[in-house]
Amino acid sequence: MPLVTARRTGLVDQVIEQLHGSVASGEWPVGSRIPTEPELVDALGVGRNTLREAIRALAHSGILEVRQGDGTYVRATTEVSGALRRLCGSQLREVLQVRRCLEVEGARLAAAARTDEDLAELWSLLQRRNAFQQQNKYEEFVRADTELHFAVVRTSHNSVLTELYRGITEVIMASVATTSEERRHFQEIDHGGLVEAIAARDVDRAGREAAGFLDELLDRT
């Protein structure tokens, strides 16, 4: 969706909202370079100073990254994800530790709270993930594996935990990609036991299953 001309009141906040909207909608994907300053000035109908102030605010929140002499790039889709990227940087071990905190409790809660509809979704996502795994389709596997982990957390029916996890999805997907790439054929980890534990409403086993593969990854880093 093209940017609309900003009104003349609260310009910086409006520009921040519009730029962030372009990121959140996927118009500007993570890793892409946003339009140049002259292009944005023309599209928004604001001055350079207003635009620069908005970009600085989004860079401070971790959503954008200004690279001198190269342009401005999308770093994350949310402030939470951006903050975690700043805190963890490229440290895979730290990301895995955060995942362990969220996913183990998410799995335990999911085992206690899951519905039949939740379970049907989990089995479907597991089957999709495993199909990509068997077909050695790396990129599709990474997305499907991340979707399965997120679905487990959603099944907890804890809205705060779910939103926290949603906010760091890019970081989680990056960790899945990194660990899968290191294993090259990414065939070693099976999440069937995790879904089985949730299906059986076995809280303790669900926690152990979620912790097991993450502990294995942590031991390697």
Side-chain angles (χ1 to χ4, degrees):
M1 179 181 297
L3 295 171
V4 297
T5 302
R7 296 188 300 275
R8 297 299 175 183
T9 58
L11 279 177
V12 173
D13 287 341
Q14 290 180 48
V15 173
I16 290 172
E17 182 179 350
Q18 290 186 279
L19 297 179
H20 193 182
S22 293
V23 172
S25 69
E27 180 184 351
W28 299 341
V30 172
S32 67
R33 184 169 60 182
I34 71 172
T36 64
E37 183 178 277
E39 290 173 329
L40 289 174
V41 165
D42 287 343
L44 290 164
V46 298
R48 290 177 183 269
N49 289 339
T50 298
L51 177 63
R52 289 172 182 172
E53 188 174 344
I55 289 176
R56 278 197 299 270
L58 289 171
H60 180 73
S61 69
I63 292 173
L64 297 180
E65 178 184 5
V66 179
R67 302 177 188 174
Q68 294 299 326
D70 188 17
T72 300
Y73 288 77
V74 179
R75 186 180 176 91
T77 58
T78 68
E79 287 84 353
V80 174
S81 182
L84 189 62
R85 282 177 182 269
R86 291 199 306 275
L87 288 172
C88 294
S90 60
Q91 297 301 314
L92 176 62
R93 184 174 183 81
E94 295 183 11
V95 177
L96 292 174
Q97 288 170 339
V98 171
R99 284 187 60 188
R100 193 185 191 284
C101 292
L102 299 180
E103 291 184 26
V104 171
E105 188 60 24
R108 289 175 58 85
L109 292 171
R114 65 90 173 161
T115 65
D116 290 343
E117 291 77 12
D118 294 328
L119 192 58
E121 180 187 21
L122 292 178
W123 284 123
S124 176
L125 290 173
L126 176 65
Q127 183 178 30
R128 184 167 176 265
R129 169 200 182 272
N130 290 349
F132 289 135
Q133 186 181 48
Q134 292 165 7
Q135 295 163 16
N136 212 37
K137 293 184 176 180
Y138 171 71
E139 293 183 1
E140 292 87 348
F141 168 81
V142 168
R143 287 193 293 270
D145 190 72
T146 304
E147 288 171 6
L148 175 61
H149 290 302
F150 188 24
V152 169
V153 173
R154 286 200 309 271
T155 300
S156 72
H157 294 279
N158 183 305
S159 60
V160 176
L161 180 61
T162 298
E163 288 308 308
L164 282 172
Y165 200 87
R166 187 194 307 278
I168 61 171
T169 299
E170 292 93 355
V171 176
I172 291 167
M173 186 176 293
S175 73
V176 171
T178 300
T179 54
S180 299
E181 190 172 36
E182 287 177 352
R183 294 195 298 275
R184 294 188 180 179
H185 299 294
F186 47 92
Q187 270 90 34
E188 299 177 21
I189 292 177
D190 177 13
H191 291 328
L194 173 59
V195 179
E196 288 173 359
I198 293 172
R201 301 188 188 278
D202 190 331
V203 172
D204 291 337
R205 183 189 171 196
R208 289 195 303 271
E209 292 283 350
F213 76 90
L214 288 167
D215 286 342
E216 181 183 342
L217 294 176
L218 282 164
D219 286 343
R220 296 180 182 183
T221 58

